[in-house]
Amino acid sequence: MLELLHKIPLFKNLTENQLMCLMNGTHIRLNPGDLLFKQGEPAKCFYVVFEGAIRLTREISNQEVVLATYEAGTFFGEVPLLAGTLHLASGQAVGQCHVYCLHEEEFWQMLMFCPSVRQAVLGFMANRMQELQMLSQQHDKLISLGTLAAGLAHELGNPTAAARRATGQLHDTVNILHNLSLESIKQHLTPDQLEYLLEIKRKAIEQTAQPGEFDPSVQMDLEDELTDWLETHGVADGWKLVPTLVAAGVNTQQLEVIGKQVSANGLSGVLTWLEATLAVASVVNVLDQGVTRISELVNAVKAYSYMDQSPLKEVVVHEGIENTLTILSYKLRKHRIQVIREYEQNLPTIEAYGSALNQVWTNLIDNAIDALGEGGTIWVRTFSQKDCIMVEIVDNGPGIPPEIQSRIFDPFFTTKGIGAGTGLGLEIAYRIVVGQHSGDIRCFSKPGDTRFQIGLPIRSFQEMNRSKSEAALSEASA
């Protein structure tokens, strides 16, 4: 027993007599998933983990939030004992666990007769209370934001679906009107001429669906050229047709062919029909793209927040990253930032808290956008490595100064100006990856290459911690 206590860092400076004061505790062995205590129950013990791990979870706004995971060699339970409160969270075994419990009276004796332990425990209590308060406040904000996002997604869903149906009906109606209007110009055209005109229309509609961006001076020259041609060929009010024809890629060479094949009396009607057809196609295309974009955003918000899904589930990491990029797409376009995806095909799924991981991707990508300012590139890479999946988020910005790199995951530490950042984004990302998912997050930075590398276990939490417990038990036996 003394040998086990000596291995706990909290007790490493105690004398043998002081350790003897700790010998009256209780040994508890737990199977995976067993509860050590529940949130709201009276706090009666101080706990030391000999083997395995205990995950503390707190119910906040009807959602379970992981506060911390305490592995072999760590301790917990001092906060409710010192504060005189009920248990602030629930403790559950992750893998096979061996926990040593000092009852309340023995806990107070330990603090009285072991000054080094007292100093360490009080220091940890202050930090843990601050972390708990910060996490609760942050989670309350996220819950409110998630509720608002869910409500908006639901409210937008029905009108968006109706708009998509209306756009489809508009396509069908426009095709009918197109065929009817075509009858009025057939009399001025031979079959070959009609076929040529329809071919121009087809290519112009394709151009409208994928509009190119003209330099303003180039566009003005093209419009002037078309206007002159129409005036020369006696097309009344031809200037009204020009913007649509130029946007659709129609040029004077094509108009020359039409002009040679169509009588002077029929030219104005043919070109008016062509411009009206292209204008309607352009408007319908804009409506279709707009509704599609709204639908994508609604679906992304739903998937991003994992609405109506259990917190812990099989997660496809690529889907979460893509939903995050969709949410941040406006900011990326606004700052003219290119995103390059380098995804491993058939990346394994993982057991994870999907909405929490999406918060990690959001914080890291948003930080990269802020670091780049205007222009630049962000790379998002995924690959497998042993029993983990790796995600890298890289930017070619100015980098993080070496003297502060060790502090970037500290709470409230920020390099942004006053009011521009809370200093919690990276700390929350670290807590989610390391504390909630037993993963790893690292930063490597130099000018032109800042990369955050996240490792997430492919195996379930129980399998992973069972392996840790077996390794610890094997080491203790040796």
Side-chain angles (χ1 to χ4, degrees), residues 132-153:
L132 178 61
Q133 182 180 16
M134 180 185 69
L135 184 64
S136 296
Q137 291 174 347
Q138 183 71 13
H139 192 74
D140 284 342
K141 292 178 182 178
L142 289 173
I143 289 295
S144 299
L145 183 60
T147 302
L148 176 63
L152 283 173

Side-chain angles (χ1 to χ4, degrees), residues 75-340:
F75 65 88
F76 58 94
E78 79 286 354
V79 172
L81 288 177
L82 291 170
T85 65
L86 302 174
H87 276 300
L88 303 177
S90 298
Q92 188 174 30
V94 182
Q96 298 290 334
C97 293
H98 178 190
V99 179
Y100 188 61
C101 306
L102 289 176
H103 294 279
E104 188 171 4
E105 182 179 347
E106 296 153 355
F107 170 72
W108 288 109
Q109 288 178 353
M110 177 184 69
L111 296 186
M112 183 180 300
F113 296 114
C114 306
S116 63
V117 172
R118 179 171 65 247
Q119 183 178 1
V121 167
L122 291 176
F124 271 93
M125 178 200 175
N127 290 334
R128 288 171 179 174
M129 286 295 291
Q130 182 183 27
E131 289 175 358
L132 178 61
Q133 182 180 16
M134 180 185 69
L135 184 64
S136 296
Q137 291 174 347
Q138 183 71 13
H139 192 74
D140 284 342
K141 292 178 182 178
L142 289 173
I143 289 295
S144 299
L145 183 60
T147 302
L148 176 63
L152 283 173
H154 177 74
E155 291 300 321
L156 286 171
N158 290 335
T160 300
R164 287 188 71 86
R165 290 193 298 270
T167 304
Q169 293 172 354
L170 184 59
H171 271 294
D172 296 338
T173 303
V174 166
N175 286 334
I176 293 172
L177 291 175
H178 164 73
N179 292 330
L180 291 174
S181 63
L182 191 60
E183 295 294 327
S184 66
I185 64 168
K186 277 185 177 180
Q187 57 185 322
H188 302 289
L189 303 170
T190 66
D192 289 342
Q193 293 170 342
L194 179 61
E195 182 63 29
Y196 178 77
L197 183 63
L198 292 177
E199 178 65 15
I200 291 178
K201 187 207 78 168
R202 184 186 65 78
K203 291 180 178 179
I205 288 178
E206 289 178 358
Q207 170 74 16
T208 302
Q210 299 176 344
E213 297 212 355
F214 290 116
D215 179 271
S217 60
V218 173
Q219 181 164 345
M220 188 177 297
D221 290 343
L222 291 172
E223 290 183 359
D224 289 344
E225 186 179 350
L226 252 66
T227 301
D228 292 343
W229 190 94
L230 293 173
E231 288 179 355
T232 302
H233 289 76
V235 178
D237 295 329
W239 59 272
K240 295 181 180 179
L241 312 180
V242 168
T244 300
L245 294 177
V246 168
V250 177
N251 54 46
T252 53
Q253 287 79 15
Q254 293 170 319
L255 294 184
E256 281 289 347
V257 175
I258 295 175
K260 291 177 180 178
Q261 295 182 345
V262 179
S263 65
N265 293 334
L267 181 60
S268 180
V270 167
L271 293 181
T272 300
W273 170 86
L274 178 62
E275 189 275 341
T277 301
L278 296 178
V280 170
S282 177
V283 170
V284 172
N285 183 61
V286 169
L287 285 173
D288 192 32
Q289 289 180 347
V291 172
T292 299
R293 179 61 180 160
I294 293 171
S295 180
E296 288 174 353
L297 286 170
V298 169
N299 291 333
V301 168
K302 288 181 179 179
Y304 179 89
S305 60
Y306 281 76
M307 292 164 52
D308 304 324
Q309 298 185 39
S310 61
L312 184 63
K313 65 185 294 291
E314 287 292 311
V315 169
V316 180
V317 169
H318 290 163
E319 291 180 359
I321 294 173
E322 284 302 312
N323 290 325
T324 302
L325 290 171
T326 299
I327 298 294
L328 293 173
S329 60
Y330 169 75
K331 192 171 183 179
L332 289 163
R333 289 197 306 273
K334 178 183 177 182
H335 295 284
R336 297 179 290 107
I337 293 171
Q338 179 186 17
V339 176
I340 298 177

Side-chain angles (χ1 to χ4, degrees), residues 372 377 379 394-400 444-451:
L372 289 169
T377 304
W379 289 264
V394 185
D395 70 75
N396 60 353
I400 302 170
F444 308 92
S445 184
K446 60 183 179 181
D449 183 8
T450 295
R451 65 186 62 228

